Amino acid sequence: MDGAERKETWEDFRELVNMKPARLEEWLATDASQSAGQHKDGAESTGHASGRRIAEILRAKKGDLSDDDYQHMRKVTGYIRRHLAQRPSGDVEDTRWRYSLMNWGHDPLA
């Protein structure tokens, strides 16, 4: 990934991931977080595992991020954008839709 791609990915990620690492980790420890998202064979959901990685990326120094980290950041921003486009009508505060987004580091109510 070249410098321009990294810059764009960084900017998109920082724009869409609006939860601080401590808040994200606090959220990931809740039952609501662990029940949201797609689970394979009772294992941890994809979004929950991603949330743990997002918190690590947020805590890392920008210069220490690898191409793999940037690839994950692109995956995160793609997921958030797609999920935001599917916003349900009405109050979303206590919905699986919001909880799934929060697992990916975005609180739509923030």
Side-chain angles (χ1 to χ4, degrees):
M1 183 176 296
D2 68 27
E5 290 173 310
R6 279 183 173 227
K7 182 178 187 295
E8 180 181 356
T9 300
W10 174 263
E11 289 170 356
D12 290 346
F13 182 81
R14 297 303 295 181
E15 176 186 336
L16 291 168
V17 174
N18 65 0
M19 295 174 73
K20 300 287 185 201
R23 172 69 181 111
L24 178 54
E25 289 169 336
E26 179 183 291
W27 163 252
L28 292 171
T30 68
D31 289 340
S33 168
Q34 294 176 29
S35 68
Q38 296 179 352
H39 297 76
K40 291 183 182 178
D41 302 322
E44 179 181 36
S45 75
T46 302
H48 197 270
S50 178
R52 289 185 293 103
R53 178 131 186 231
I54 291 164
E56 291 172 7
I57 290 170
L58 290 171
R59 284 204 164 92
K61 294 179 182 173
K62 187 176 176 183
D64 292 340
L65 297 174
S66 67
D67 280 346
D68 192 49
D69 291 327
Y70 277 95
Q71 288 295 91
H72 189 72
M73 291 162 71
R74 290 176 96 165
K75 179 179 178 180
V76 169
T77 58
Y79 177 86
I80 293 171
R81 284 185 177 128
R82 285 189 308 276
H83 210 62
L84 284 173
Q86 301 169 2
R87 184 184 181 108
S89 60
D91 181 14
V92 297
E93 185 169 357
D94 294 314
T95 62
R96 289 178 59 89
W97 177 83
R98 177 180 178 226
Y99 296 166
S100 181
L101 272 169
M102 290 174 69
N103 280 353
W104 289 80
H106 180 86
D107 185 350
L109 301 182

